[in-house]
Amino acid sequence: MQTELSKKLGIEHAVFGFTPFPAVAAAISRAGGFGVLGAVRYTAPDELARDLDWMQEHVDGMPYGLDVVMPAKKVEAQDGQALTEADVEAMIPDGHRQFVRDTLAKHGVPELAEGEASGWRITGWMEQVARNQLDVAFDYPIKLLANALGSPPADVIRRAHDQDVLVAALAGSARHARKHAEAGIDIVVAQGYEAGGHTGEIASMVLTPEAVDAVAPLPVLAAGGIGSGQQIAAALALGAQGVWLGSLWLTTTEADLHSPALTRKLLAAGSGDTVRSRALTGKPARQLRTRWTDAWDDPQGPGTLPMPLQGLLVAEAVSRIQKYEVQDLLGTPVGQIVGRMNSERSVQAVFDDLTRGFERAVDRVIRIAGRESQS
């Protein structure tokens, strides 16, 4: 599964694996792919440094990258200055806080222990936090910086290029892809509607060739609904130079979801058991459909807040739901490929399956092409 881009990066397979777990990212790189560590959950620079230290010791010299979240639009004070987390917290309406309390009480979700801090804070949605993460990351030999919410700011792109780091940005339309190209990024990740997390409304089969045509000769990675070697072959046939996989790694043995109940829900879910909801971050993100997403999507409710307010609003609630494994509310961002994620396997076993499926698909096409040429 090699392309011009995979050869440039020195990897065996053109498979880019996004994951919040260092052990998974390192295993992806060791298996011949390109592991990309998601940084959004790191609230302190020293925590990110600790995990990058660990990855350096466990990638066996293979390349890896980092994914940050720097929103194209940010919440600012009237004087144009960036707001602190406390400033943003103060903007959350009391009615929304009450809605969270009522929903948790309705489902009997226990309180956190006295003095226990929320274990889940997505302050990484705030630009300054992401910049602090980059100050750490650029001290390591990362080969790729990806931004999940559009092109990074121009100074970040320049800084990455000055250190010979390629820059990737996710796009949900050909228009977005062209904007990324104009901003000077190196790789477009065309993320289709089927994908987990933040995603647009165009399906991968339509989006991938549109993005390829829009930004040629920049390389495009196909993302969204991909979890087999046959689908990788299809993505390359559409013009992509690789694939970007995220959801598929959630049920690997190296993943650390801290919740056996959540793992069981993922293994049991079908491809129709996800929903694009603003419940988690304020932007449409595909995730398991639960009573929690239903509550926020109910037109009788208060509606979600814009990013990053929604994420800060629900942070403690999500921590409580996860800690106590409240079945009806327990969920996670995941794509429609969850329907294929029906067993726990190692990252290497996933790669073995991907390569076998890819070979079968390519052989099938070669046979078809051979028959056509003979006729």
Side-chain angles (χ1 to χ4, degrees), residues 8 46 63-64 66 88 136 158 163 187 222 225 236 285 288 304 311:
K8 179 178 181 179
D46 59 333
Y64 63 93
L66 192 75
V88 177
V136 172
R158 287 194 300 269
Q163 298 194 211
I187 301 169
L236 299 191
L288 282 180
T304 55

Side-chain angles (χ1 to χ4, degrees), residues 287-310:
Q287 54 203 280
L288 282 180
R289 181 176 181 178
T290 66
R291 295 287 180 84
W292 180 254
T293 61
D294 287 348
W296 282 105
D297 295 338
D298 188 339
Q300 301 301 316
T304 55
L305 298 171
M307 179 182 284
L309 301 183
Q310 182 71 15

Side-chain angles (χ1 to χ4, degrees), residues 64-87:
Y64 63 93
L66 192 75
D67 178 280
V68 297
V69 178
M70 303 185 78
K73 297 180 180 179
K74 57 187 177 182
V75 179
E76 295 178 330
Q78 291 184 350
D79 59 6
Q81 296 298 310
L83 297 176
T84 66
E85 181 180 343
D87 293 332

